[in-house]
Amino acid sequence: MRGLGPGLTARRLLPLRFTPRPPGPRLASGQATGALERAMDELLRRAVPPTPAYELREKTPAPAEGQCADFVSFYGGLAETAERAELLGRLARGFGVDHGQVAEQSAGVLQLRQQQREAAVLLQAEDRLRYALVPRYRGLFHHISKLDGGVRFLVQLRADLLEAQALKLVEGPDVREMNGVLKGMLSEWFSSGFLNLERVTWHSPCEVLQKISEAEAVHPVKNWMDMKRRVGPYRRCYFFSHCSTPGEPLVVLHVALTGDISSNIQAIVKECPPSETEEKNRIAAAIFYSISLTQQGLQGVELGTFLIKRVVKELQREFPHLGVFSSLSPIPGFTTWLLGLLNSQVKDHGRNELFTDSECKEISEITGGPTNETLKLLLGSSEWVQSETLVRALQTPLMRLCAWYLYGEKHRGYALNPVANFHLQNGAVLWRINWMADVSLKGITGSCGLMANYRYFLEETGPNSTSYLSSKNIKASEQVLSLVAQFQKNSKL
């Protein structure tokens, strides 16, 4: 899940019971590198269990626990990202599916279908094919999960794999396939039935408060008074922990209890002493203003979606009258997207397809330069918000452009913005775009100060989610659709 969504800054998991090597340069000499690679190959040969014959699949004993522990220990001793990536690449490429077996079993299934054999024979052939499609490294992951701290280790291993892929240290379909297999296994181990919902208060253990503070990736916690406010009156903070590690936050959700749908984050996270009493009759809305995944290895596992649903039920039990649920979400990537458009138009002979003629004239008069070139320089920093006249002049065009960015810019047919995609998958409505909603440095530089409300109408979330996932339809309010129509009328992209 960045912002109120799936892409979130993560702390590293606590280490297992091995002592990593101290950080140092990767072995550079050919002789040393060759020795390390041979050690990796020997380790994998011993640690990855062979696939038993189909007839012996339930009778073959599990590999000795020490073999899996050797892999964990060896991996923990690799201090360099590139070394870990090398080992993971060798595991993915050399210990996946036996394609020869898959082809043989597939041919057998096709032959039986053509012969119209009885159902039991065909079903057994299909079961053999399924068995052949299981990669060998899945057995290693399965047996590691049974070790003390093994699941925790696998979460960190996937975090390392994602990092190596992002750095392009290891690539290819075999690596992507292994990542998918590991993600699927983690999704089973971290399904909602194994997760505990825990609420954080100022009386929670200091260790938990510290972890929550460190995990906050959307609106960083400034000090202990700030933390006290975020878990005090008119605020709620919840996290999921796994049944095997109670008290260890996996994903954290911050909620503000307000009189209406908030349009400004500073009103929620401002530093002032919290009220000592909470009047329930003043609470009409629950605003989800931050969700942070603490373990990068769980990226893509539906923890955030489950957490929001559980928190809604918890709040309804506490406040039966509460019926308004909404996010107040940042719009990461908007500034980068806009600067990319401005840059492309500057290169293309200074043409303008983003602003109307009157807007260009007004902006140029304020800045003293051509609109695209000047804005390209100004929006790369936060200084432009010091000019009230420029802020007023940019409100209409940037609101219009932001609405299109959230509603019209797509990736494979779904919303390009990851936060929008997260909430729309959950069945929320793109309800309102707010101007100057986050005037922090991060808010200005990341999204030109704009934030969005994604409204959760509980009776409609199911149909909305189905419509978005199956037909890629985005449910949006009249405000957003009006801004989109203005963009389509005034812009020529």
Side-chain angles (χ1 to χ4, degrees), residues 390-403:
L390 184 57
V391 169
R392 285 196 299 269
L394 289 177
Q395 179 173 357
T396 297
L398 291 193
M399 289 278 286
R400 185 175 71 229
L401 285 159
C402 186

Side-chain angles (χ1 to χ4, degrees), residues 155-168:
V155 172
Q156 183 56 59
L157 182 142
R158 181 165 183 257
D160 292 340
L161 180 60
L162 292 172
E163 180 184 14
Q165 287 180 287
L167 295 173
K168 299 190 182 303

